């Protein structure tokens, strides 16, 4: 065992920066390159990854502290006595990062060093094949990443700070821009060209003029209160907006007869009570969706950004929309197809609890292939969930109700669960969506079909 002090890495400036978020607590075990905290200056937001694996012994800073390069951040007990240390003046962020875990959004053109870091980290990948966004306005904190639909926290766009600033001023998502510079680096011209093409397309798409959104002084009409949106809400708003305007949504509605499932669930819960396990409706939905996704691989895919290819994923990671005080968060239950109902129930409960406590790690909110938004515990008969890009479908679930069902001779009471499946119509045809939803109905109606 050895004790190591993790210090502020080279952040490209000697000015003090703010500690805006701490992602670990005393006693936590961290892997090398897990994000431990986030620093923010007026020029950049930097996620600081752990240079070593170990357990956190002591936090040496608090949120709101101002720190400089070389300042101690936390004390780590490592298992490796000969573990690689940070140099005393070290902590070169490029060195510390190792992989592509760190992300940094820089805004000013004089921030050449951080820009260079991005360049080196992203150069091997063709930037235009990277469908993940890198909007410089998004601070990639765990809380922010909580609301991110996918791998945004793990990748970066190959562009300099000045170009990023330009993109932001024009409202251009750099992830969508093809770079023509060396090794695919995005240039000023690329951003202008992208914006020009967009304007042209918008102009030809409709001749009906769309009104711009003026600032409105609502106080003219009565008393108001202006409240700053939480970081999660800002990021999820941007992501939801992107999904809504870029994905042609259709929602397929259906109803599953869960009378037998509910009887089984309640009976199992009585049996499992002693083990402190609760099989939730959500756990059954995850299980059934995992089976259906295996049977309908197109629903477990992503459309390449250039619209030329469909990327079929051989893994099934299901995102679960969780309502938290700070806003919507979507932790991901990985390899749902390989887990038992009790494992899914326990994991989903743990993810939802930690989402509400803002204790999720960025990696736990990435890599989803399909999402479930369950509002059944709250109410409603149907709704239109927004597809969680880059996924292509999402299942919305409303409140189950006992309904009269004609069995051929009589009306009998059956517990019916409303399902609302939204999908990307570029990838999925209406008939396929109807079949997928119908498959879910079959599986929920007779759980034995899950085994087949
Ligand atoms: N119909 C009727 N009752 C339902 C139901 C359904 N579809 N789903 C859950 N319930 C009931 C459960 O039976 C449970 O009642 P009980 O305590 O008497 O057993 C209660 O509602 C709570 O259910 P629980 O299983 O504890 O939670 P959940 O599965 O409903 O939800 C989350 C878990 C994480 C999905 C939920 O807490 C949540 O955050 N939902 C909101 C998601 C969201 O915001 N989506 C919007 C995205 S646009």
């Amino acid at each position: 065992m050895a004790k190591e002090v993790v210090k502020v890495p080279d952040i490209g400036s000697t000015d003090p920066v703010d500690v805006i978020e701490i992602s670990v607590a005393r006693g936590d075990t961290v892997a090398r390159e897990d994000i431990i905290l986030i620093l923010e200056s007026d020029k950049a937001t930097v996620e600081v990854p752990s240079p070593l694996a170990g357990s956190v012994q002591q936090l040496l800073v608090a949120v709101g502290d101002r720190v400089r390069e070389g300042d101690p951040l936390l004390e780590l007990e490592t298992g490796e006595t000969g573990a690689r240390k940070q140099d005393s003046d070290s902590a070169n962020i490029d060195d510390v990062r190792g992989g592509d875990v760190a992300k940094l959004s820089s805004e000013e053109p004089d921030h050449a060093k951080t820009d260079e870091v991005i360049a080196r980290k992203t150069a091997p990948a063709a930037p235009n094949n990277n469908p993940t966004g890198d909007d410089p306005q998004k601070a990639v904190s765990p809380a922010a990443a909580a609301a991110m639909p996918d791998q945004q926290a793990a990748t970066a766009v190959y562009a300099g700070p000045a170009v990023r600033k330009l993109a932001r001023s024009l409202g251009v998502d750099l992830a969508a821009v093809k770079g023509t510079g060396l090794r695919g680096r995005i240039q000023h011209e690329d951003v202008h060209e992208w914006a020009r093409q967009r304007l042209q397309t918008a102009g030809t798409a409709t001749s009906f003029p769309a009104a711009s959104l003026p600032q409105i002084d609502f106080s003219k009409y009565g008393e108001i209160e202006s409240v700053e949106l939480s970081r999660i809400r800002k990021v999820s708003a941007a992501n939801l907006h992107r999904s809504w305007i870029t994905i042609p949504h259709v929602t397929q509605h259906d109803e599953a007869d869960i009378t037998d499932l509910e009887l089984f669930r309640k009976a199992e819960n009585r049996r499992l009570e002693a083990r402190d396990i609760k099989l939730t409706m959500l756990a059954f939905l995850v299980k059934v969706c995992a089976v259906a996704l295996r049977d309908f691989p197109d629903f477990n895919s992503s459309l390449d950004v250039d619209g030329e290819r469909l990327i079929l994923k051989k893994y099934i990671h299901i995102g679960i929309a969780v309502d938290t005080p700070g806003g919507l968060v979507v932790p991901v239950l990985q390899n749902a197809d390989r887990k038992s109902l009790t494992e899914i129930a326990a994991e989903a409960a743990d993810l939802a609890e930690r989402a509400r406590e803002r204790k999720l790690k960025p990696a736990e909110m990435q890599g989803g292939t399909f999402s479930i938004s369950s509002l059944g515990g709250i109410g409603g008969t149907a709704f239109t969930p927004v597809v969680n890009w880059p996924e292509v479908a999402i299942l919305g679930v409303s409140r189950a109700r006992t309904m009269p069902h004609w069995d051929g001779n009589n009306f009998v009471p059956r517990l019916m669960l409303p399902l609302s499946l939204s999908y990307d119509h570029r990838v999925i045809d209406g008939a396929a969506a109807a079949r997928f939803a119908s498959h879910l109905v079959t599986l929920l109606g007779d759980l034995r079909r899950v085994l087949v």
Side-chain angles (χ1 to χ4, degrees), residues 12 49 75 91 122 128 132 198-199 202 215 248 251 280 355 387-388 415 451:
E75 196 178 282
T122 57
N128 212 37
T132 54
R198 268 300 160 99
L199 282 173
Q215 283 285 354
T251 305
T280 57
V387 173
N388 193 6
L415 186 62
L451 301 170

Side-chain angles (χ1 to χ4, degrees), residues 265 278 280 282 321-323 356 373-377 398 400 417:
R265 190 177 80 86
K278 185 182 172 194
T280 57
L282 183 65
V322 180
D323 180 32
R356 293 194 178 104
S373 174
S374 175
L375 293 175
S398 300
L417 182 71

Side-chain angles (χ1 to χ4, degrees), residues 240 258 262 265-266 269 278-283 285 320-324 327-330 348-349 351-353 356 372-379 383-386 394 397-401 415-418:
L240 287 165
I258 58 163
E262 192 59 4
R265 190 177 80 86
K266 285 193 169 142
N269 277 339
K278 185 182 172 194
L279 290 183
T280 57
M281 177 56 67
L282 183 65
L285 290 163
I320 304 161
V322 180
D323 180 32
T324 79
L328 176 66
V329 175
V330 189
L351 287 170
E353 189 181 330
R356 293 194 178 104
I372 299 176
S373 174
S374 175
L375 293 175
I378 303 170
F383 66 106
T384 304
V386 176
I394 178 169
V397 183
S398 300
R399 190 166 196 75
R401 287 183 304 158
L415 186 62
M416 304 304 290
L417 182 71

